[in-house]
Amino acid sequence: MEQRGYALVLGAGIIGLSTAWALQRRGWTVRVVDQATPPNPAGASVDHHRLIRHAYGAQQGYMRMVDDAYAAWDRVWADLGEAHYEETGVLALDEGGGAWLPASREAMRGHGLAMDELTPDQVAGRFPFFTGQGVAEAFFAPRGGVLLAEPIVAGLADHLARRGVEFIRATVTDVRERRLTLADGTALTADKVIVCAGPWAPRLLPGLKGRVTASRQIIVRLEAPAELAEAWARAPMLLDLAHEGGFYMVPPVRGTPIKVGDHSFSLTGDAEDDRNASSQEAETILALAARRIPGLDRYRRLGARACYYDVEPAEEFLAETVAPGTLVLSGFSGHGFKFGPVLGEAVANALGDTALMPYLPGWAAGRESAAPGLLRAD
């Protein structure tokens, strides 16, 4: 490996760890700073599941980026020695009049991706634990599935530690040019500083306020009745991303529970708040699930919790220089996990070649194609 320099990464979620992974592979000396030892249960990256799918509405840049993401995940699996991924396919539903499903369908067809259009009766016939009642449009895409988030974060942290990456447990109070200041007054400096602080980022970087907002989101975990357990074991992820009351559902893969989460951003709360969900918050999510799962009252409730997203209004990722030698990665709006490794590789390539840096923001925002070399795999 060619020695590139010394980098400090703030944040040990999927974006920070992926960036550290890509930098270390390219010969950088890397230290990762986080307020907790990964996997941090309060972090936006830590839970049973995260999803990867091509259905992205009109955001065709991200749809195309999913191909690159799959390739980058394959490099992660090779390094970890295990693939923490389960292919489930994707069932997308719409009650009529929404733009997200038709735009996804058109974009995916243009990209040559396989899918089956389904009638409401076919939805219920193919997936007997769902109802087609109220469904106007639906399709099933076989490509797509579940990333097992907690073992991924734990596995990456362990891999990096074994490769010589140092982890520092500390709270950062200030970010400046090539410098992080810790709560005890210690200043850490490096050739490059990369801030991957999730919903904490606007607290540290005033320039993000108004552009990125911490948003409290609720998930509910369920267990299917015994007579439906076998059917649920072959269930797809479900995306019902209506403009009002959108939600997603994750099937019980590899012993994990069914998960229901909201896709409507609350844009309220603070990343320092606790992660306990109220009964009212849980009931709001269950009301969405009840539209799709008949007999939901027979499902065992395993608990509910809050997590915090860092939301950008257009759901576009920010990858920007905030001071000389200091880069921020933020605004992942609940859909950044799937892109962690490919984002990390692009950042590492741009930091190693200043000619690539101007192309990073537009590509990360899903608006521009990658410049040659930006997605190079070392």
Side-chain angles (χ1 to χ4, degrees):
M1 292 187 300
E2 178 187 353
Q3 183 64 39
R4 292 292 183 85
Y6 169 39
L8 276 169
V9 177
L10 172 56
I14 189 61
I15 304 299
L17 292 175
S18 294
T19 302
W21 166 76
L23 288 166
Q24 192 277 328
R25 287 176 113 235
R26 286 154 177 76
W28 291 74
T29 298
V30 183
R31 300 171 89 185
V32 177
V33 182
D34 198 289
Q35 61 187 341
T37 301
N40 177 9
S45 298
V46 179
D47 187 23
H48 292 109
H49 324 96
R50 289 295 183 269
L51 303 178
I52 183 167
R53 37 78 179 184
H54 285 89
Y56 252 95
Q59 293 179 295
Q60 295 192 29
Y62 289 125
M63 179 204 67
R64 292 188 294 271
M65 199 187 294
V66 171
D67 293 338
D68 299 314
Y70 270 116
W73 280 113
D74 284 342
R75 292 186 281 278
V76 171
W77 307 145
D79 280 358
L80 299 188
E82 182 178 2
H84 299 296
Y85 172 71
E86 193 74 22
E87 188 102 312
T88 64
V90 181
L91 176 62
L93 306 176
D94 187 83
E95 293 189 348
W100 181 87
L101 188 147
S104 295
R105 181 176 57 211
E106 180 180 356
M108 291 168 67
R109 280 179 172 167
H111 199 56
L113 295 166
M115 70 174 66
D116 298 329
E117 291 196 59
L118 303 176
T119 67
D121 288 343
Q122 288 172 327
V123 169
R126 190 163 175 175
F127 308 108
F129 34 81
F130 294 146
T131 177
Q133 184 175 358
V135 172
E137 295 185 275
F139 68 75
F140 173 77
R143 186 61 160 151
V146 179
L147 294 160
L148 297 157
E150 188 164 350
I152 289 171
V153 170
L156 267 174
D158 180 66
H159 171 77
L160 290 170
R162 287 187 283 107
R163 297 284 291 177
V165 172
E166 181 184 0
F167 284 79
I168 300 171
R169 183 172 180 176
T171 298
V172 171
T173 58
D174 189 58
V175 178
R176 297 294 173 95
E177 178 180 333
R178 300 185 179 90
R179 187 182 73 192
L180 300 177
T181 303
L182 309 184
D184 65 2
T186 301
L188 303 177
T189 60
D191 299 309
K192 303 293 182 182
V193 170
I194 306 96
V195 179
C196 311
W200 285 272
R203 298 166 62 96
L204 292 167
L205 296 170
L208 290 183
K209 291 182 180 178
R211 302 181 65 203
V212 175
T213 303
S215 183
R216 181 178 175 88
Q217 307 297 130
I218 305 299
I219 62 168
V220 177
R221 300 184 178 110
L222 303 169
E223 181 180 69
E227 66 272 19
L228 292 175
E230 184 176 350
W232 268 103
R234 299 186 298 275
M237 76 169 83
L238 182 146
L239 302 176
D240 189 348
L241 304 188
H243 182 69
E244 298 294 336
F247 75 104
Y248 64 91
M249 186 176 301
V250 188
V253 300
R254 301 195 191 182
T256 63
I258 299 167
K259 182 172 80 175
V260 184
D262 59 341
H263 192 263
S264 300
F265 301 127
S266 75
L267 301 178
T268 62
D270 186 277
E272 290 295 322
D273 293 346
D274 68 51
R275 298 310 193 256
N276 296 317
S278 69
S279 58
Q280 182 178 356
E281 288 175 319
E283 290 300 328
T284 298
I285 302 305
L286 289 171
L288 297 175
R291 293 161 45 204
R292 300 290 171 245
I293 304 178
L296 187 65
D297 57 340
R298 296 188 296 119
Y299 286 65
R300 182 184 172 204
R301 301 185 187 185
L302 301 179
R305 70 184 294 270
C307 64
Y308 278 82
Y309 294 169
D310 44 324
V311 173
E312 194 277 336
E315 298 185 52
E316 295 180 350
F317 307 153
L318 303 182
E320 300 176 359
T321 299
V322 292
T326 301
L327 184 74
V328 63
L329 306 178
S330 188
F332 293 103
S333 303
H335 72 107
F337 194 105
K338 68 177 71 64
F339 297 114
V342 72
L343 281 164
E345 289 181 331
V347 168
N349 290 334
L351 291 176
D353 182 352
T354 56
L356 295 174
M357 187 60 73
Y359 299 96
L360 180 65
W363 170 81
R367 289 184 270 104
E368 299 173 12
S369 298
L374 190 64
L375 303 186
R376 184 185 72 253
D378 287 355

